[in-house]
Amino acid sequence: MNKSVWWAVARSEEVNSDKPINVNIGDDPIVLWRDHQGTARALEDRCPHRRAPLSLGCVLGNGMIQCGYHGWTYDGETGHLKDIPNLKSDAKFPKLYRAQAYQVVESGGFVRLCADTKATPIDAPSQSLPLSGSVDVALSHDQYLAALFDDPSLVISIRGVLFTPYLMSELAEVDGQLVLERSCKWAGPHWPSPFTSDFPITLRISTDPVTGESELLLRDDAFKPLLRARVAPVPAARGVTQVRWRAKLESQRSGLRAKLMGLGQPFSVLSSVDGAALRVLRPSASIHAAALRETMTNTQPAEAGVA
Amino acid sequence: MLDVNDTAQADDYVDPVTSDPRTFAAKVNSWVPHDIVLKDAWFPLAHSIAVTKKPVRRAVYSQPFFLWREGEKAVAAEFHPAEDVKTAKSEYSDAAGRYPVIEKYGYVWGWFGNPANASPEHIPSLPYLPEDGGLPKHMLGTVRFDCTAPLSLENLIDLTHADFLHADVVGDEKMDKETVEVFHDSETITMVRTCKNKSVAPIMKMFGGVKDDVQQVRQVIRIYLRSHAAIAYGRFDPGDNVQLFHPCVPETRDRTRLDYAMNTSNVKKTNPFRYMMPKASYKVSRQDSSMTSPQSPRYMQPEKRKDLHSPLDEAGQKYRVLMMALAERQAKGDFAYRDNVSADCSEIIGYQKP
Ligand code: FES
Ligand SMILES: [Fe+2]
């Protein structure tokens, strides 16, 4: 996996000073916590002493993480070992005594990590959307994106909205992102999609070709935004995809159906995928996506990130 | 002296611990405990009281051991008496599929290895367990670990872990001074930890009637390498001594069975500590498991990155090297016991018989 990529592994509210958490990037385990100054920190979730998960430890008052096994204590920014409490000594440890550190950037309600400590910090959107959630889906990252492109109803749900098979614009590259726009309609009695002359809403999906982090925009036929969402799928252990998402329902929505979106949960990412439906899902947009992802990531491997 | 045993290679034996420090470090860091399978050893497979007419099933490295009694006598066999499809017999049992068995210290010990080498003198010395058994049931218990047995023992021999993982039972790391001494021979390793003015173990405060805030502590862990069995002996002042036998039977290469015996008959009958302390093992072992279970898969294969060590890890490092030295000798066909494990070790662990 490309080390210089930034992955949105957590939502801001999941990272705190009370209890470190464990996330993955691919098969790599990572421990995340917030130090005493509120800065999110990330280290490999493996104590270099006896390989215990650091996420079973605790965050000390000075913001460092202490392994729960023998108490070795690490600085989150550099990963350097700072204390072995039982040694009762102030001696400094050799540079080699360190856990692997990750670069961390927090913005827009997401915590993003990069394994390359020299990579340029990512310039991610700063606006935080109020609704949010986290799910772990038993589907590989590639297949997860393919499902999102070919039939979003297998992975997300928008209140009162049906996704049709009709694309208003096929998946193509726009400013380094994979973009497609899908026709949608309101749930309820209506003509079947093939006989509909015009659709009342559309869903635009704009996806980073490397991370798959996607911006979703639902608009009505007057081009007014109804809902925005950011969905961040991250490859995790055993072929699972960790998905962190945030969304916002626009306050000005015209039409009864659009107004009804405010009742209950307007947006969610499904925690599991319907295997029977997925197996027979015909690939269409995902075929373009696979080809484009390959050419795009080959031409700009190091710069890939979030738009 | 007459050459009565088979220690033919005695003269070219080099103590792996005192050999060149760089060789020692390289050994420590090539530790893959899952790959170590030691033979010619007695394993405490079951508490004597668990073995009755009805066969119970145990294993050593997946090799089946069925234990039951014929009359009073405990027997161990490779096949269940009711098993009709018999697979080929291994080389570890006799023509009838029976293993060598000894009953001692309240345990049924089964021999894993060449039956011809089974000898009572290879049963470890456990000074504070009555040789004929008979400890009450409340002093015995069973715990399982989802990890390779050597990791459980490496865990045990580094007691700094207790200050963090078991702080709520045995007290935290606050103390004035800590010293660790390590002794070994080719079959055993013994670690003695002395703590000056250490925070009193909460369990002793709660149930043991200890009122002070600090206590003087001397803890001994002695591992019988081949049998994967440990003595854990603690002296507390003020407080009662803790006399634990902690075997780690490798039922498979990454699952461990602990049939423990905590002899608290030294504690006054009116002191609840006598009954509570043996039960603390259930809590303590869950805490150990929370670390050793995730550790175990990380030690299943050779690892490029070296573990980092502190001076407090001396015992654990030596344990690794001694285990590997035994495995290497066995790979070369040398199964002899170079040191006597059944000689009374009271003095080594600092135990005075009452
Ligand atoms: S494994 Fe982390 S301190 Fe020992
Ligand atoms: Fe422990």
Side-chain angles (χ1 to χ4, degrees):
Chain A
M1 202 168 292
N2 189 339
K3 284 219 173 257
S4 55
V5 177
W6 288 86
W7 295 99
V9 293
R11 293 176 291 130
S12 289
E13 45 272 69
E14 292 177 290
V15 183
N16 59 57
S17 307
D18 302 328
K19 181 89 198 72
I21 61 165
N22 163 275
V23 295
N24 287 155
I25 295 178
D27 283 322
D28 297 338
I30 296 159
V31 57
L32 264 181
W33 76 98
R34 204 173 282 287
D35 71 14
H36 58 314
Q37 286 166 330
T39 310
R41 300 294 188 196
L43 296 178
E44 183 184 8
D45 195 8
R46 175 192 184 275
C47 179
H49 177 228
R50 291 294 177 265
R51 309 180 200 175
L54 287 170
S55 55
L56 300 176
C58 60
V59 182
L60 299 183
N62 59 12
M64 294 190 204
I65 191 163
Q66 182 174 67
C67 180
Y69 203 172
H70 311 95
W72 288 30
T73 303
Y74 302 90
D75 167 58
E77 188 180 358
T78 59
H80 282 138
L81 175 68
K82 292 293 180 187
D83 191 22
I84 299 177
N86 288 61
L87 279 184
K88 313 255 180 282
S89 138
D90 294 331
K92 286 231 160 52
F93 299 99
K95 276 233 156 59
L96 193 82
Y97 275 62
R98 63 195 294 175
Q100 188 197 318
Y102 285 79
Q103 256 198 99
V104 185
V105 162
E106 188 170 9
S107 72
F110 286 101
V111 176
R112 292 189 175 82
L113 303 186
C114 179
D116 179 355
T117 44
K118 295 192 189 74
T120 24
I122 190 173
D123 185 20
S126 58
Q127 191 204 2
S128 178
L129 310 177
L131 305 168
S132 73
S134 298
V135 290
D136 293 315
V137 187
L139 191 63
S140 74
H141 188 253
D142 283 347
Q143 292 296 339
Y144 190 87
L145 288 177
L148 176 68
F149 296 146
D150 289 333
D151 182 358
S153 74
L154 288 174
V155 289
I156 63 169
S157 135
I158 304 180
R159 187 177 163 81
V161 172
L162 293 179
F163 307 108
T164 81
Y166 290 90
L167 298 184
M168 290 307 289
S169 73
E170 70 173 43
L171 191 134
E173 184 195 336
V174 179
D175 300 331
Q177 300 286 294
L178 304 172
V179 178
L180 68 72
E181 194 155 10
R182 180 178 295 274
S183 301
C184 304
K185 55 191 182 182
W186 297 111
H190 42 64
W191 285 101
S193 302
F195 313 121
T196 304
S197 91
D198 291 286
F199 294 104
I201 30 183
T202 57
L203 176 68
R204 183 181 191 271
I205 301 180
S206 165
T207 300
D208 181 275
V210 176
T211 61
E213 203 175 312
S214 301
E215 204 174 88
L216 277 51
L217 175 62
L218 188 77
R219 288 182 292 197
D220 64 15
D221 48 8
F223 250 57
K224 285 261 171 47
L226 300 172
L227 178 123
R228 300 170 196 278
R230 181 165 280 276
V231 176
V234 175
R238 290 186 181 261
V240 167
T241 300
Q242 298 165 159
V243 190
R244 307 292 179 254
W245 61 266
R246 307 200 76 94
K248 179 175 188 246
L249 190 62
E250 295 298 333
S251 46
Q252 303 291 316
R253 304 183 306 278
S254 46
L256 180 64
R257 307 295 205 126
K259 290 211 163 68
L260 284 176
M261 290 178 80
L263 299 174
Q265 171 120 326
F267 179 84
S268 66
V269 173
L270 307 185
S271 60
S272 64
V273 106
D274 175 350
L278 181 67
R279 187 175 70 82
V280 296
L281 175 62
R282 277 187 308 278
S284 55
S286 64
I287 294 180
H288 296 232
L292 278 171
R293 286 182 80 194
E294 193 161 331
T295 40
M296 290 165 77
T297 49
N298 282 347
T299 49
Q300 40 153 331
E303 301 303 322
V306 182
Chain B
M1 206 175 96
L2 286 175
D3 193 8
V4 287
N5 54 26
D6 46 358
T7 50
Q9 292 106 322
D11 295 333
D12 52 19
Y13 181 75
V14 183
D15 183 346
V17 165
T18 51
S19 67
D20 165 51
R22 255 195 263 159
T23 322
F24 179 82
K27 272 269 140 60
V28 167
N29 292 317
S30 63
W31 174 239
V32 185
H34 278 78
D35 289 351
I36 294 181
V37 172
L38 297 179
K39 294 189 184 138
D40 280 15
W42 292 107
F43 285 96
L45 297 176
H47 291 123
S48 287
I49 54 160
V51 181
T52 60
K53 270 197 187 59
K54 183 178 177 250
V56 290
R57 185 174 176 173
R58 300 286 190 271
V60 179
Y61 299 117
S62 304
Q63 173 76 17
F65 277 74
F66 294 95
L67 312 174
W68 71 93
R69 287 190 196 274
E70 289 174 348
E72 292 284 281
K73 208 168 117 34
V75 297
E78 200 165 326
F79 305 101
H80 190 282
E83 205 169 332
D84 42 8
V85 192
K86 290 208 180 10
T87 44
K89 196 191 78 62
S90 75
E91 68 212 23
Y92 306 119
S93 60
D94 66 13
R98 297 285 174 100
Y99 300 105
V101 174
I102 280 183
E103 203 161 354
K104 195 175 180 185
Y105 297 127
Y107 285 84
V108 174
W109 302 72
W111 177 262
F112 175 71
N114 181 353
N117 296 338
S119 151
E121 70 177 27
H122 301 324
I123 297 257
S125 154
L126 310 173
Y128 46 68
L129 292 192
E131 284 198 19
D132 308 333
L135 286 182
K137 230 175 161 175
H138 71 83
M139 297 185 189
L140 311 175
T142 298
V143 162
R144 295 162 192 269
F145 292 108
D146 298 342
C147 75
T148 192
L151 274 183
S152 258
L153 290 160
E154 203 187 354
N155 157 293
L156 188 65
I157 207 162
D158 178 0
L159 282 179
T160 62
H161 89 270
D163 303 342
F164 296 91
L165 207 47
H166 314 310
D168 56 352
V169 182
V170 299
D172 60 25
E173 83 283 9
K174 292 188 192 71
M175 66 188 114
D176 290 346
K177 200 173 173 224
E178 170 173 11
T179 53
V180 172
E181 291 166 283
V182 185
F183 312 95
H184 73 276
D185 61 23
S186 68
E187 294 290 342
T188 67
I189 180 161
T190 305
M191 190 267 324
V192 182
R193 180 192 196 210
T194 325
C195 305
K196 211 174 140 193
N197 298 331
K198 188 174 189 300
S199 319
V200 166
I203 189 164
M204 293 193 172
K205 270 205 156 159
M206 267 186 286
F207 304 109
V210 177
K211 304 247 153 44
D212 310 52
D213 288 326
V214 296
Q215 59 189 170
Q216 313 314 317
V217 180
R218 182 179 178 281
Q219 292 161 311
V220 183
I221 302 292
R222 174 172 171 82
I223 301 177
Y224 293 97
L225 302 172
R226 277 199 224 205
S227 293
H228 291 69
I231 286 175
Y233 177 55
R235 290 199 325 220
F236 299 86
D237 182 22
D240 285 299
N241 294 351
V242 173
Q243 311 178 141
L244 171 66
F245 175 51
H246 186 297
C248 289
V249 175
E251 289 214 297
T252 70
R253 283 195 299 163
D254 53 7
R255 295 291 186 281
T256 297
R257 181 187 179 100
L258 160 56
D259 282 322
Y260 66 86
M262 172 141 355
N263 187 351
T264 51
S265 45
N266 58 311
V267 183
K268 275 213 218 73
K269 283 216 167 95
T270 51
N271 188 341
F273 188 71
R274 181 172 170 127
Y275 314 95
M276 290 310 294
M277 190 59 202
K279 293 295 166 258
S281 298
Y282 292 122
K283 179 168 192 183
V284 166
S285 64
R286 286 303 84 196
Q287 295 169 330
D288 282 323
S289 215
S290 73
M291 293 297 170
T292 56
S293 303
Q295 257 189 309
S296 200
R298 294 179 172 181
Y299 282 94
M300 272 176 116
Q301 268 146 12
E303 160 74 50
K304 279 200 292 291
R305 294 186 286 172
K306 295 174 190 157
D307 284 350
L308 302 180
H309 308 282
S310 90
L312 297 166
D313 293 327
E314 182 190 341
Q317 291 181 298
K318 289 182 175 169
Y319 170 68
R320 291 182 176 189
V321 169
L322 289 167
M323 288 292 282
M324 284 188 275
L326 268 178
E328 269 168 39
R329 275 178 52 210
Q330 296 204 344
K332 289 188 198 127
D334 175 9
F335 292 90
Y337 275 74
R338 300 191 51 84
D339 291 284
N340 183 357
V341 292
S342 58
D344 184 357
C345 70
S346 298
E347 208 169 303
I348 302 176
I349 66 169
Y351 170 76
Q352 281 156 4
K353 290 216 170 180

